Amino acid sequence: MKEFDIAVVGGGLAGSIAAVALARGGRRVAFVAPPTGGDRRTTALMDQSVRMMERLGLWEAVEPAAAALSTMQIVDGTNRLLRAPVVAFRSAEIGLDAFGYNMPNSALLKVLGDAVAAEPNITSFPSTAEDIAFGPDKVVIRLEGGESLEAAFVVGADGRKSKVRESAGVGVRTWSYPQTAIVLNFAHTVPHRNVSTEFHGESGPFTQVPLPGQRSSLVWVVDPKEAERLLALTNEDLSRAVETRMQSMLGKVSVEDGVQAWPLSGMSANRYGTGRAAFIGEAGHAFPPIGAQGLNLSLRDIAALEDILCDRSGQQIPADAGDRFDARRRVDVISRTASVDLLNRSLLSSLLPVQMLRAAGLQVLSSVAPLRHLVMQEGVSPGRALSSFPSFLREKIRR
């Protein structure tokens, strides 16, 4: 039986980055990942995540396919009585060229696939895990086809229906939303100038994010019946609908082939790690595509795993590594999940007090520069800005 330090199960973005990071941290990694299908979605990596990709030697290959996000603005596109002002967040205000970069998932997966293939510490198994048995000293994984391997630790990056999480006996909490996300890419005649615009509507956000050239990606959250109507349109009619919704701010729009729809739901594991297992990406947490949180949260999962599991001296992985991971990640994951859920539900609410609070909050962000800077810093480097909040308050009180 083949023996490894760590087995990473799941070959999506989170699993691939985890395999590379842990292998480059000196561990012998088994990468259990069947071939994946085409992914037409895009991913926005914030500054902290970009720095991590640079550290892993991956960013140089990814950057040509990425577009900078230098300005992020929120526009109240509702027809409600109380409407919030337009709020623009500019990266230059906090000393950055860009908050982050947006790129096609296909381009990112290609770079990661090349890195996995070239990494001597990774052995790839293009198969699914049929059975995962946890023992006090090791984890035994039986693959489809009968081959088996063992590892001192297993990382579940195998999605919402994670076999790793299920085998470890960890349950989940799930919830759903009366919404569907229409995901597409489109060309436009007016340059985006590295500006991402999020229109807030009664059914959810309509978020345009730059891609290289005069192209952008779009996540349009609507109710399921409206999603069915939009999906039935020709590309020409859908292009007109997108252009109208954007108030023609990017000129003439041409929607590209490959429009997809994703029902919105959320999930959180009861634990993010236990014993000799950890659950990252959508094996541990999943929520709507709002605020560019998904993969960025997963990269923070991976950074925590590096700290806990990587040891170039060759020391054995402790039996409680998964529990240490759970303790390390719990606050960040729960707070991000709650904030995305609250924002999404606030858009759906027809209650006047909720609308007042949301409009007032955006008004404060628009008019109070120090607070806006604090929010921007927290967005690109979670945890760091909040740790400085007490000193921020003391300074304001002294003034």
Side-chain angles (χ1 to χ4, degrees):
M1 187 179 296
K2 296 178 180 178
E3 298 180 1
F4 299 89
D5 298 318
I6 300 167
V8 176
V9 179
L13 295 174
S16 299
I17 296 171
V20 172
L22 297 172
R24 293 184 179 173
R27 292 300 189 180
R28 295 172 297 121
V29 175
F31 186 47
V32 180
T36 57
D39 190 341
R40 294 180 177 271
R41 292 172 295 174
T42 65
T43 290
L45 292 179
M46 295 295 102
D47 183 71
Q48 184 183 58
S49 298
V50 171
R51 302 285 83 78
M52 180 175 176
M53 295 290 282
E54 285 180 336
R55 174 172 60 79
L56 293 174
L58 299 170
W59 181 245
E60 185 177 357
V62 174
E63 188 174 13
L69 308 179
S70 299
T71 300
M72 303 176 75
Q73 58 185 1
I74 298 174
V75 178
D76 192 334
T78 68
N79 294 314
R80 290 169 175 161
L81 177 63
L82 290 174
R83 298 179 64 188
V86 176
V87 181
F89 302 94
R90 297 176 176 85
S91 60
E93 290 187 66
I94 55 173
L96 295 175
D97 292 332
F99 291 115
Y101 292 80
N102 189 45
M103 66 215 68
N105 284 5
S106 57
L108 185 50
L109 282 167
K110 171 66 167 60
V111 170
L112 293 172
D114 292 343
V116 166
E119 175 56 53
N121 267 353
I122 296 177
T123 303
S124 292
F125 296 87
S127 181
T128 57
E130 289 289 308
D131 182 73
I132 303 172
F134 288 89
D137 302 316
K138 62 184 178 182
V139 184
V140 178
I141 302 172
R142 181 171 57 81
L143 306 179
E144 184 180 36
E147 186 177 9
S148 293
L149 60 92
E150 65 178 44
F153 194 87
V154 61
V155 177
D158 48 344
R160 297 191 187 207
K161 297 181 179 180
S162 170
K163 182 73 173 178
V164 175
R165 189 190 63 233
E166 177 187 327
S167 300
V170 174
V172 299
R173 181 173 64 92
T174 62
W175 60 96
S176 61
Y177 302 93
Q179 299 164 292
T180 297
I182 302 295
V183 179
L184 57 87
N185 297 330
F186 66 95
H188 39 82
T189 57
V190 174
H192 51 58
R193 302 187 187 282
N194 301 116
V195 176
S196 174
T197 302
E198 183 167 292
F199 292 85
H200 285 179
E202 288 89 345
S203 62
F206 173 104
T207 308
Q208 164 266 331
V209 189
L211 285 170
Q214 292 190 185
R215 296 175 65 240
S216 291
S217 61
L218 176 69
V219 177
W220 189 354
V221 177
V222 295
D223 66 66
K225 288 186 177 179
E226 176 64 4
E228 290 179 10
R229 187 188 74 82
L230 292 172
L231 288 171
L233 296 177
T234 65
N235 274 11
E236 185 178 32
D237 289 340
L238 185 56
S239 297
R240 282 195 289 268
V242 171
E243 183 179 333
T244 299
R245 188 69 181 84
M246 291 198 69
Q247 305 170 14
S248 298
M249 65 191 312
L250 291 178
K252 183 176 175 57
V253 165
S254 299
V255 170
E256 301 172 1
D257 290 336
V259 179
Q260 296 178 315
W262 302 82
L264 294 195
S265 63
M267 183 278 292
S268 180
N270 294 336
R271 293 181 60 87
Y272 306 110
T274 182
R276 293 191 176 275
F279 323 116
I280 68 171
E282 292 200 342
H285 42 75
F287 40 71
I290 296 173
Q293 292 297 312
L295 186 60
N296 292 284
L297 188 61
S298 299
L299 261 66
R300 297 200 294 278
D301 289 342
I302 295 165
L305 283 177
E306 288 181 285
D307 288 344
I308 295 168
L309 301 178
C310 293
D311 187 336
R312 292 187 179 276
S313 68
Q315 289 190 7
Q316 293 184 350
I317 294 173
D320 66 344
D323 301 282
R324 291 165 56 188
F325 176 80
D326 176 70
R328 178 86 69 90
R329 298 297 301 138
R330 182 160 291 274
V331 171
D332 185 21
V333 174
I334 290 175
S335 64
R336 296 291 153 173
T337 302
S339 63
V340 170
D341 181 70
L342 180 62
L343 174 58
N344 191 40
R345 293 187 190 278
S346 74
L347 295 176
L348 296 174
S349 178
S350 59
L351 296 175
L352 188 60
V354 175
Q355 295 175 28
M356 291 175 64
L357 284 172
R358 183 176 156 274
L362 289 174
Q363 177 66 57
V364 169
L365 285 178
S366 177
S367 57
V368 181
L371 184 59
R372 187 170 65 253
H373 296 168
L374 195 74
V375 169
M376 288 189 286
Q377 289 164 350
E378 178 64 16
V380 298
S381 185
R384 187 176 302 173
L386 288 181
S387 65
S388 65
F389 189 62
S391 60
F392 167 78
L393 286 179
R394 287 195 295 271
E395 181 182 347
K396 293 301 159 188
I397 291 170
R398 283 198 299 269
R399 291 181 180 180

